[in-house]
Amino acid sequence: DLIRKYFGEKIGLYFAWLGLYTEFLIPSSVVGTIVFLYGCITMESDIPSKEMCDQRNAFTMCPLCDKFCDYWNLSSACATARASHLFDNPATVFFSIFMALWATMFLEQWKRLQMRLSYFWDLTGLEEEEEHPRPEYETKLLQKKLKNKNITTESSDEVRCCLLFSFMWDLCFAKLIHVLICLQIMLAFSAVFGIIVYRITTAAALSFSTNETTRSNVRVTVTATAVIINLVVVLILDEIYGAVAKWLTEIEIPKTEKTFEERLILKAFLLKFVNSYASIFYVAFFKGRFVGRPGHYVYVFEGYRMEECAPGGCLMELCIQLSIIMLGKQLIQNNLFEIGIPKLKKLFRKLKDEKTEVKEMDTNQSKHPQQWDLDYILEPFTGLTPEYMEMIIQFGFVTLFVASFPLAPVFALLNNIIEVRLDAKKFVTELRRPDTVREKDIGIWYNILSGIGKLSVIINAFVIAVTSDFIPRLMYQYAYSQNGTMHGFINHTLSYFNVSQLKAGTQPENSLFAQEVAFCRFKDYREPPWSPHQYEFSKQYWAVLSARLAFVILFQNLVMFLSVLVDWMIADIPKDISEQIKKEKTALVDFFLKEEHEKLKLIESFIAHDKRKRRSGTKSRRTRAASFSQCHRSPKGSFTSFSSQHTVV
Amino acid sequence: DLIRKYFGEKIGLYFAWLGLYTEFLIPSSVVGTIVFLYGCITMESDIPSKEMCDQRNAFTMCPLCDKFCDYWNLSSACATARASHLFDNPATVFFSIFMALWATMFLEQWKRLQMRLSYFWDLTGLEEEEEHPRPEYETKLLQKKLKNKNITTESSDEVRCCLLFSFMWDLCFAKLIHVLICLQIMLAFSAVFGIIVYRITTAAALSFSTNETTRSNVRVTVTATAVIINLVVVLILDEIYGAVAKWLTEIEIPKTEKTFEERLILKAFLLKFVNSYASIFYVAFFKGRFVGRPGHYVYVFEGYRMEECAPGGCLMELCIQLSIIMLGKQLIQNNLFEIGIPKLKKLFRKLKDEKTEVKEMDTNQSKHPQQWDLDYILEPFTGLTPEYMEMIIQFGFVTLFVASFPLAPVFALLNNIIEVRLDAKKFVTELRRPDTVREKDIGIWYNILSGIGKLSVIINAFVIAVTSDFIPRLMYQYAYSQNGTMHGFINHTLSYFNVSQLKAGTQPENSLFAQEVAFCRFKDYREPPWSPHQYEFSKQYWAVLSARLAFVILFQNLVMFLSVLVDWMIADIPKDISEQIKKEKTALVDFFLKEEHEKLKLIESFIAHDKRKRRSGTKSRRTRAASFSQCHRSPKGSFTSFSSQHTVV
C-alpha cells in the first residue's frame, strides 16, 4: 500500500505481483529440492547407472568421431550417467505435473489478489478514459495533412499518384516491420546454429590433437565453452533486441500510449523469448536425433559428423545448458546491469553537471540545492517493461523445462528475494520518482503468463517423453525384461554394429584394443547386423516411440483437465470482496433513496412558498427524474430497484 | 425483441441463441454435404475398395464364428467397404478441423450477440439481487430449529448425540446423492453392455441357424435390431434420468432458485450425456479392439467370441449408430414428445375440467369464460432446461463425432428449422404464459458448450487416428508401397494364419472350399506363421500405432492453437456497443454535473430566502456531497472525474 501511495497503482501492482510470485516460488522450490534429494538418495540403488559403471560387462562403444577417435568403453561415461539420474527419475514426472498445476494456481491466486487490491485501491470501477494520442502520432497526422494540402494545390493526377504512393508506402511499412521481426528471429536462430557449428568443429579439431589429456575431455571443454559463448551471445542479443523492439514500435507510431506499450511488449517478448530459449529447445528436442548410425553417419559441411548426446542421455546436457543460462542471465543481467548501469549513468551525469555547475556557480551561489535539483541527477524512469520482462522470462525457465531441472524454482526464489530489494532500492534511490499511473491490472502480461503456462504443459510432456529415458525404462521393466527388474536395460538400449562395415577411412587408427573388436555398440534401437534387414529400426524402436507418444497424449490431457478443474474450483473474486461490493451497492441505493425523499420534501415546501422558485424547482425535479432514468439505463442495475421505489414515492 | 417483450429476457435469450446456432449450422452443413459428395465422387477411384471388390485377388478370410461359420471371401464385403469410403476419406479430416474451429467461432459470436442483446435490452448492469431462498429450504431450516429447541429442553448428552446424529446424517446425505448419480451412470453403461451381449449372442444364435439366407445377412439383422433396441433404451432412460435428476436435486434442498436450477442442469446433463453417447463411444473406441486373433480368440461368458467390426472398418458402424440414434432422438423425442405430450395432457385436463364444470354449471351459468379460465387448461411452464438440453445434446452430435458422420450438421439444421417453429408454437399456444425472468446470459449452458467444444477436438482426433483407416493408408502410401500408390494396401493390412493351428472344435464344419485352404487371412498387423515369433504384433503394427498417436498430438495441438487464435482475434464486445456504452457514461456524468449546478443554484437562492429552510437545505447539501463521495467509491469510475469537478464547483 505504501508503495502504491508513493509510486501509484501501476508500480504497486508490479510489486504485489512480484511478491505473490515469490511467495508461490517457496512451495515449488521446496518440492523441487525434495525431488532433487530423492534423486541423490536413489542414485546408489539405480540399476542402469550401476550397470553402466561396473567394469565387468564392458560394452565397447563405436568411436565418437571418424578416424581419430578410438572405440571406448561405456563404463568410462559412468560419472555422467550417475549425474543424469539426479534429474532423470520418476520423481521429475510428478514434479512437472505439480509445476503445471502450480502455474495455474498462481494465475488464479493472482486474479484474486488483483481483485482484492483493485477493490481496496478503488480501482474496481476504473475504466480507461479517452486516451490522449501520443504527440508523435499527432505530428505525423499533421504532416500528412500538410502534405495533402500541398498536393491539393497541385494538379489532380499528381495528387492521385501521390496519395497512391503514400498509401502504398504505409502498406509496405506495416509489412516491413513484420519482415524485420522475422529477420531478428532468424538472427537468434542463426546464433544458435553458429554455436552448434562451433561445437562440432571444435570437437573435431580437439579430437585431432595428439595431446592425450585434451582428447580425453573433449566433451567437457566443448560443452563448457559453448555454453559460455551461448550465454554471452544471449546477453548481447537481449540488449540489442530491447533496442530493436523499441525502435520498431516507435517507427510504427501507434496511436495511444497504451497501444504503444502493448505492441512494444509483444515484440520485445517475442524476440527475447526466442533468444533465451532457442538453444535450449535445440538441446532438448533436436540434438542427437539426426546422428545417423555407424557406417552411415549424417555429415554436415564436408565431413563433420552431427554431434551426439552424452551417453547419459541429452537430459544431462539440457540441464547444464538450462542452469548456466538461467543463472548467468539472472546474475549478470538482472543484478549487475540493473544496479551497475544506473549507478554509472548517475556518476557520468553528476560529472557533467558539475562541469556546468562551475559556470553557474556565481548565479546560484547562496541557496543550497533543492530536492528536485538533487533528483535531477537521477536516471529518468523508463517504465516497468524490463522488470516484468525479466520476471516473465524467469517464469518461463521455472515452468517450461522444469522437468529437466527441478532446482530452477530454488534459484528463481533466491534471485527474486534479492530482486525485490534491488528493485525497491532502485526505484527509491536510483531513479527519479515516476509520475503515478492508475492501472487496473497488469494488462498484457497476464495473457503472456497464461500462454507460457499452457505451453509448459506440452513442452514438459515432450521433455519427459522424448528427452528423458523415463519411457524406455518403463517399457523395458514391464515389457522386455524377463524378471521385471531393470537388469540388462543398458544392454537392451544398445544396438550392435559390425565393425567390418565401417566405411574406409573412418575406422579408428591405432586403436588400443585393436583386433578383438568385432561388434561395437551404439545407443539406438536398430536391427542387429545378422538380421535380414540389418540396421533398420527394430520393433522395439517403434514400440518405444508409440509408448512415448501415448505418454505425451496422456500427460497433456490429464494436466490440462486438472488445471481446468483448478481454474473452475477457485473463484476469481474472493467471497468477502464480492459481498462487500454488494453491501456497498445496497447502501448506495438506500442513500439515494433517503436523499431523494429529502429533496422532494424540500421542493414541496418550496413550491408552497412562492411562484418563481416553484418553476425552477419543478424543472430541477424533472431533470432529477430524468437523471434517475439515466441512472437506471446506465450499467448499474442496483439503481433499478431504487428507481422503481422512487416512482412509488 | 417481440419474444422478449412477451416472454421476458430469459426465453428471448433462448430463442436468440437457437437462432444463432441454426444460422451457424447452415455453412457447416453446406461444407458437410460437399465433403459427403466428395466421398461419393471419389468412391469409384478409391483403390482399396476396388481391390476389395475385385474377384481376382480373392482373400480367404478366417471364419467369423467358431465351427458354424465358413471361411469367407473378402470380396463379399465389397459393399460395406465402398460405403465406408463415403465417410472415411481425407476430406473428413479437413472437415473435423473445420468443425472444431466452427465451434469456437460460434461461441465467440454468441458472446458478441449476447453483449449486444444485453445492451439493447438494458441488461448490461443487471446484477442478481439478493435471491430469496426457496420455501422448501426455509421449511427445512425451520424444522431444524424446532428440533434443536426440543433437544435443548432435553438432557445435555442426548443433545450432543442428537446433534452429532443430524450432522452425520447430513454428511451421509451429500455422499448418498453422489453415489446415486454414479449408480445411474452405471445403469447407462450396463444398458450398453446388455446390448453388446445381445449382439454377440444373437449373432452366434443366428449363425447356428441352418437357414442359408438368415446366416448370410447375420451382421445386418443384428446391427439393425441392436441399434433400434439401443435407441429405445436411450429414449426410456432419458425420461427416467430427467426425473431422477429432478428428484435428487429436490431432496438436496439447495438454497436459492438459481443454485437449484444449476445443480439440476449439471446432474441432468451428466446423466443424459452418458446415456446418449455411451454406446457410440463403445463403437468408436472399444469395439473390435479385443477380439484376439484366430486360434486365440477372446471369449466372454462360456464360448461367445467378442464381436469384430465389419471388414470396412468400425467407422461404418459408428456412422450407422450415430445417424440412427441422432435422427431417432430428434424425431421421436424432440418433436413427437414435445408436441404430443402437452396435447395429450391438455386433452386430459379438459376432460377432467368438463366433469367438474358440470357440477359448477349452475353457479357460473351466465358469464362466458375469461382468458385466464381458458389458459388454465394449458400446461404449466416447466422451465427452459429441456429445450436447452436437447439442443446441447444435438450440439454434441454435431461436433463430437463429426469426423465419422459429416452429414450430422445437415440433419441438425433440418431439425432446428422445425424446432424453432414448434417451440414457438408450444410456448404460445400449448403452455401457460410463463412469468418473465430477467437473465443476463444463458448461464451454465455456456460453460457446458465450451466444454463440449474442447472435448470434441480430442475425440475427433482419436476418431480419425484410431477408428478410421486414414493413417494406415497414409503410412502404406508413403512408407511401404513400392510405387507410391495404394495398390496392395488390402493385402498389406491382412495377416496370415495357419489353418492347421485352429483349436480343435473351432474349425468350420462342412466348409464349402474345403481342403485347399492352408492359410486364412485376418485384419491385423501380426507376424506371419512362418516368422520366428509368430502372431506377435509385427513392426508395422507399432509403426502405424506411433503414427496414429503422433497424428493425435499434432491434430489436437494444431486445432487448439487455431481456436485460441480465433478466440483472440474476435473481440468479445462489439466495437459499436462498447463505444455506445462509453458515450452514455460520459453523457451521464455531464448530466449529473448539470443537475448539481442547478441544485446548488436552487439551494443558494433558497438559503438567501429564509432561515428554517436553509438548515434543511445545508443538511441536504451535505448529504448530497456524501452521496457523491459514495458514488465515487461505488464501482462506476465514470463518476470519479465528475465528482472531482463537482468539488471544484
Side-chain angles (χ1 to χ4, degrees), chain A residues 119-120 122 124-130 266 438 447 454 458 462 475 480 527 533 536-539 542-550 552-553 556-557 560 564 568 581-582 584-588 591-592 595-596 598-599 602-603 605-606 609-610 612-613 616-617 619-620 622-628 630-641, chain B residues 119-120 122 124-130 266 438 447 454 458 462 475 480 527 533 536-539 542-550 552-553 556-557 560 564 568 581-582 584-588 591-592 595-596 598-599 602-603 605-606 609-610 612-613 616-617 619-620 622-628 630-641:
Chain A
Y119 171 74
F120 285 120
D122 288 342
T124 10
L126 176 68
E127 272 116 32
E128 60 287 337
E129 272 89 43
E130 292 312 315
L266 262 185
R438 300 195 87 208
N447 308 342
K454 286 193 179 54
I458 302 166
F462 272 103
M475 282 293 283
Y480 297 120
E527 300 277 350
H533 17 242
E536 278 183 9
F537 284 118
S538 67
K539 192 194 289 181
W542 292 111
V544 168
L545 181 60
S546 45
R548 286 180 158 162
L549 295 173
V552 170
I553 295 172
Q556 188 183 352
N557 289 313
M560 272 179 1
V564 167
W568 178 68
I581 291 172
K582 251 190 194 156
E584 272 190 3
K585 276 200 199 115
T586 43
L588 182 65
F591 198 92
F592 266 92
E595 200 211 359
E596 263 314 280
E598 266 171 10
K599 258 189 261 158
L602 186 68
I603 290 152
S605 57
F606 195 52
H609 194 278
D610 89 39
R612 192 187 50 69
K613 289 215 182 47
S616 64
K619 191 159 102 282
S620 72
R622 209 180 302 113
T623 50
R624 205 170 297 110
S627 87
F628 281 106
Q630 265 283 21
C631 255
H632 173 20
R633 302 218 50 262
S634 86
K636 281 196 75 301
S638 47
F639 282 100
T640 326
S641 59
Chain B
Y119 171 73
F120 285 121
D122 289 343
T124 12
L126 175 67
E127 272 118 33
E128 60 287 336
E129 274 90 44
E130 292 311 315
L266 262 186
R438 299 194 88 209
N447 308 343
K454 287 194 178 55
I458 301 166
F462 273 105
M475 282 292 283
Y480 298 121
E527 300 277 351
H533 17 242
E536 277 183 9
F537 285 116
S538 66
K539 193 195 290 180
W542 293 112
V544 168
L545 181 60
S546 45
R548 287 180 157 162
L549 295 173
V552 170
I553 294 173
Q556 188 183 351
N557 289 314
M560 273 183 354
V564 167
W568 178 67
I581 291 171
K582 250 188 195 158
E584 269 191 6
K585 278 205 195 107
T586 43
L588 181 65
F591 196 92
F592 265 93
E595 199 212 0
E596 261 316 277
E598 266 170 12
K599 259 192 255 150
L602 183 69
I603 290 153
S605 57
F606 194 52
H609 194 277
D610 88 39
R612 191 185 54 64
K613 289 212 178 49
S616 63
K619 190 157 104 284
S620 70
R622 208 179 303 112
T623 51
R624 205 169 299 111
S627 87
F628 280 106
Q630 266 283 18
C631 259
H632 174 19
R633 301 225 45 265
S634 86
K636 279 193 78 299
S638 48
F639 281 100
T640 325
S641 57

Side-chain angles (χ1 to χ4, degrees), chain A residues 524-589:
Chain A
D524 204 346
Y525 293 102
R526 288 177 183 275
E527 300 277 350
W530 52 82
S531 87
H533 17 242
Q534 54 180 202
Y535 305 136
E536 278 183 9
F537 284 118
S538 67
K539 192 194 289 181
Q540 279 80 350
Y541 173 83
W542 292 111
V544 168
L545 181 60
S546 45
R548 286 180 158 162
L549 295 173
F551 175 82
V552 170
I553 295 172
L554 189 73
F555 184 89
Q556 188 183 352
N557 289 313
L558 176 73
V559 173
M560 272 179 1
F561 173 73
L562 285 179
S563 33
V564 167
L565 213 66
V566 169
D567 193 348
W568 178 68
M569 283 194 305
I570 300 177
D572 286 1
I573 304 174
K575 192 122 190 66
D576 52 345
I577 297 296
S578 56
E579 273 164 4
Q580 268 294 335
I581 291 172
K582 251 190 194 156
K583 268 208 213 83
E584 272 190 3
K585 276 200 199 115
T586 43
L588 182 65
V589 171

Side-chain angles (χ1 to χ4, degrees), chain B residues 5-7 375 378-379 381 427 431-436:
Chain B
K5 278 215 183 61
Y6 183 74
F7 287 113
D375 286 0
L378 301 174
E379 269 292 281
F381 176 71
F427 281 128
L431 298 181
R432 298 183 196 155
R433 177 176 173 180
D435 11 358
T436 63

